[in-house]
Structure formats: structure tokens, C-alpha cells
Amino acid sequence: MANFSQVIAADDAAPFDFKNTYAGLPERFFVRLNPTPVRSPQLIRLNNGLAKHLGIDPNQLQTMQGVEILSGNRIPAGAEPLAMAYAGHQFGSWVPQLGDGRAILLGEVIGQDGVRRDIQLKGAGRTPFSRMGDGRAVLGPVLREYIVSEAMYSLGVPTTRALAAVTTGEKVMRERPFPGAIFARVAQSHVRVGTFQFFAARKDTEAVRFLADYVIARHFPDTESGSQPYLGLLRAVVSQQAKLVARWQLVGFIHGVMNTDNTSIAGETIDYGPCAFMDSYHPETVYSSIDQTGRYAYSNQPGIAYWNLGCFAQTLLPLFDKDVDMAVSQAEEIIGAYPSLFEKAYLSGLRSKIGLLKENEEDQELAQDLLDRMTKNEADYTLTFRRLCDLVGSRPEADEPVRSLFKNPADFDDWVLRWRKRVAKEEVNDVRRQEAMRGVNPAYIPRNHLVEEAINAAINEEDFSQFDKLITVLSSPYDDQPDFAKYAAPPRPDQVICATYCGT
Ligand code: AMP
Ligand code: MG
């Protein structure tokens, strides 16, 4: 194991006011250990706003001591560093032991909103769960996670967040040596479907119960008082996942590795690896280089979340009822609600995206017709919906910018005739509808070619200016930012990125 002797001991003036609970669970839930120190940590970026929200003084985190904490070289007072145990289905195959192989939970803080959140260092060194891995993270994926998770937050999609990124001053070997980095991640918790699976697979029902009680108290306190809190837990997790994946679909986000160990019980998007936002719309889009069969393609995401929820439900069966058949039928009833919960959230979002406030039976078909035409015409997903916001309800005077995104603009013309008929049934004027549409159809998403450009400049030239600028632009995705028009543009053909890499 690593030599921890260089770790600087806790001091009193710690920036974090830790209130740890996970460390109070039975010892078989985790392994206690400190991060492995790194040679020469340097702060790349600190999320000042998030730090303040968490009750952390950002100035303190920017000092040398703060950067030592963010790199794992110094253990702040109150931290109880540990690596969490979990298992999971990876691409459908069962792996009985995964666990934090390169992430260390420092502890929990309670933010200004009263919500408890984990502070975790990703890339903090080897742990007993590292298997063949080196416990480290490289700069590219750290920057990617920073950019994309913060963009998701600003888009209004539940997600883990980026508190900071540091470089380590060490090289990490992948296809070639890359600069090492550590990502300080904030999450409502790091409990995953795979955490439940870890104990269920070991027939450790006591641990499953501890974990369920813990998750209910931490994330779903409303279900605690019900007569059947464990059924309530499943119901709550099903509902959160349905809403989360609907949000992904609506912004064109493809997670890329929807394994059960990457499915947060708190309903946040977690573990950004080869994730990507779609440029031109196609339901079968896959970016991840490791997803050879397209298991986690865009259009499969809702169904995969359903599958993952089935795995979760299975772990809870012994808590539902001693009678297995009874437990299964209770679980099935709750899980069975998922498809309609998803459809409801997705359809409601689609309606808003095309500017409809009222509900009408034909709406789903109308929206689907647009998506089909976009597929056929390779229309850019984000830009099409953003330009739809400018349409005038009664006349084609503002049609050109959006129709020109279609290879065959006549395909759009046919659709917009239908749309106008439908919009005539709304009692809202153009200005109000346009405003509402701009609030749900972002102008800016982390486009793959821009993310790639920012990462390459950072890795190859130590130039973080593009990374910084991208984060600034993406923090207001629904506002027009004329100075940054280039960030809203789809890639030119020579800029299109077809594959993303896990880069662990
Ligand atoms: P991921 O695909 O990143 O969700 O990770 C899957 C599993 O591999 C988790 O148990 C990770 O902790 C582990 N893992 C990923 N990268 C590394 C690494 N560089 N060193 C050790 N473990 C890793
Ligand atoms: Mg993971």
C-alpha cells in the first residue's frame, strides 16, 4: 500500500465544517484510508459560488493549505476519509465488487440550503478497491467532468457538482503519460444502486436495511413516516430516476455508462465519463468508444434506467415482505409505474420545448413528427429548438433561421404548418410563448468539439483560458450571449467528434 507518512495532520483552521454520517455506518460499508499525497498540487479552478453555498470560505481553499486539502496532501479537521464499497452491473454483466478505486470521501457538509452533501476527491490514489487501476485521474477527464457537470447544473438537471480541480505535478500513464489531476466532487451522496447490490449479493440483509434506513433519513425523509418506508423508498427512487432521465433526453445528454454503479440513489447524474451532448439529432446516437453494441445509446437511456431500477428493487425484496411472492408483486407494482412516469415527464418537457402550454392529445405526435424530421435532415438538436423560440405563431416571417437547419427545408415547412394550427389553440401571445421557450431550450450546451478544444489546450499548452471561458458561457445556458455566438454553433463537418473516451 501507499506510504501515508507525508500526509499533513488535521489543523484547527479547517475550511470545512464536516458533519459526517456515512463513517458512522458499520465498518463493512467502507475502508478508512487517507488519500495518497501528490508531488506538487496546483489549483486549476475553484468553484467559488458552490463553496460559499456549502458554507466553505473560498479564500481559505485558495491558500496553499486549501490546495493541499483539495489534492489530498492535507487532511482537514473533521474529515473521516474513506473509500465506499459497492458492486454493480457493468454493461449488463454482474461485478460483485467494484468500490471507490480512486475516489476518497472526505466527509459531509451541510449547505446554506440545509442539504447535506458529500465532498469527495476523485483521483486521490489507490484503495483496496482499485483492482488493477492506479487510483489516479488524468487532467482531460477531470476537466470534462468539471465542464459538463457544471453545465448540467446550470441547465437545471440534477447532478453532482464540481468544487475544484487541481493538477498533481505527476504524470499518469494511459495510452501515453498525461498530467495527473484530482477532482473535488460534491454530491447529495455517493450511494449508488450498486451499493445496495453489494450487500444484497452477499445476502447481508441487515446491511441492506441499514443502508435503506440511512438513505431514507438522508434523502427521502418524507417516506420515513409512512407505514411502509421501504416501499416508499423504492417509489421515491423510481420517480427521481424517471424525472432525471427525462431531463437528459430533453437536453440531448448521453451519459454513456449507465451501469448500476453509476446510478445515484439520490437521483443525480453521476460519474461523467465518455458522456456527450448530441449535435445533430439521431435517436441511436452513441459516443462512448467502449459502448460497442450501443447499449447506452440516447434512445435506450429511459429503458436502461428502468432495468437499473429493477436491480435496485431486487435488493430491497427482503425488506418488503417475508413472503417472496408478495415482496415481488409489491416491487413490480411500483417499478411498473416507471414507464408512465417517464413518459409524463418527457412529454411535458417536449410540450414546453415546442411552446405549448395547454395539453392536447395530438401533442406527442406533433413533437415526434418534428424529431423524426430532424433525424432525417440531420438537424442540430439544440439549435433547432433554440431557433424554434423565434417563430411567430401566425406567420412564416421568422421561419428561415430554423428551416435552414434542415437539409430539405420543405420537411420543416410541412411540420410548421401543423404547429401553427396547434399554436392557434393556445391563448398566449408570441412574446410570452417565445420567452417561455427560451427558458427551456438552451442556446449553449457543452458541445463536444468545444470541450475537446478546451481540454487539448490545457493538456498540450497548459492554457486554461478556453476551459475558463467555456465554464463562464455555460453558466447561463438559456441567455443569449452575443459575444459568445460561436459557442452556440454546431461543429463544422471537420470539427464533429464521433467518439468519446472513458479516460480513466
Ligand atoms: P467508472 O467506470 O469510472 O465508473 O469506474 C468503475 C470502477 O473502476 C470503479 O470501481 C472505479 O473506482 C474503478 N476505477 C476507475 N478508474 C480507476 C483507476 N484509475 N484506478 C483504480 N480504480 C479505478
Ligand atoms: Mg463509476
Side-chain angles (χ1 to χ4, degrees), residues 86 90 98-103 122 129-131 133-137 174 257 259 261-262 271 502 504:
Y86 56 84
Q90 298 195 309
L98 290 161
D100 289 332
R102 56 165 173 165
K122 189 166 169 181
F129 303 112
S130 297
R131 295 174 294 163
D134 58 8
R136 292 301 185 192
R174 295 293 180 261
V257 207
N259 296 334
D261 52 299
N262 293 338
D271 279 3
C502 230
T504 56

Side-chain angles (χ1 to χ4, degrees), residues 207-220:
V208 174
R209 192 184 303 274
F210 274 137
L211 188 60
D213 290 342
Y214 177 85
V215 164
I216 289 171
R218 183 163 174 182
H219 299 303
F220 307 106

Side-chain angles (χ1 to χ4, degrees), residues 13 58 61 89 155 159 212 226 230 233-234 308 313 318 350 362 386 388 399 428 462 465 474 500:
L61 279 186
H89 279 94
L155 287 164
T159 178
Y230 302 122
L233 168 62
L234 179 59
N308 291 347
L350 269 185
E362 73 202 87
R386 185 69 181 182
L388 279 184
D399 287 6
V428 59
E462 290 184 40
S465 60
L474 293 170
T500 50

Side-chain angles (χ1 to χ4, degrees), residues 174-339:
R174 295 293 180 261
E175 312 88 77
R176 62 176 174 88
F178 283 102
I182 295 178
F183 182 67
R185 178 160 74 178
V186 175
Q188 291 215 12
S189 85
H190 284 85
V191 177
R192 305 142 190 275
V193 166
T195 320
F196 280 86
Q197 290 180 297
F198 180 85
F199 297 109
R202 286 160 179 75
K203 307 250 180 286
D204 187 348
T205 304
E206 187 194 38
V208 174
R209 192 184 303 274
F210 274 137
L211 188 60
D213 290 342
Y214 177 85
V215 164
I216 289 171
R218 183 163 174 182
H219 299 303
F220 307 106
D222 292 348
T223 65
E224 210 161 13
S225 53
S227 59
Q228 292 187 298
Y230 302 122
L231 294 176
L233 168 62
L234 179 59
R235 206 172 280 119
V237 172
V238 166
S239 154
Q240 301 267 39
Q241 280 296 314
K243 286 189 220 153
L244 177 68
V245 178
R247 296 302 304 266
W248 289 359
Q249 302 305 97
L250 292 164
V251 294
F253 173 77
I254 303 168
H255 182 285
V257 207
M258 287 180 71
N259 296 334
T260 56
D261 52 299
N262 293 338
T263 302
S264 153
I265 289 293
E268 292 182 323
T269 313
I270 193 169
D271 279 3
Y272 291 85
C275 60
F277 279 71
M278 257 194 300
D279 289 310
S280 57
Y281 181 77
H282 198 297
E284 285 161 28
T285 306
V286 177
Y287 284 101
S288 168
S289 59
I290 55 170
D291 191 1
Q292 307 260 319
T293 61
R295 178 181 169 90
Y296 299 138
Y298 172 78
S299 60
N300 286 353
Q301 296 190 128
I304 290 289
Y306 193 26
W307 193 89
N308 291 347
L309 287 165
C311 293
F312 177 52
Q314 210 162 354
T315 71
L316 298 179
L317 291 178
L319 309 189
F320 291 161
D321 205 292
K322 283 201 192 78
D323 179 319
V324 178
D325 292 339
M326 178 57 122
V328 168
S329 88
Q330 286 174 324
E332 276 176 355
E333 193 190 325
I334 294 171
I335 293 280
Y338 170 88

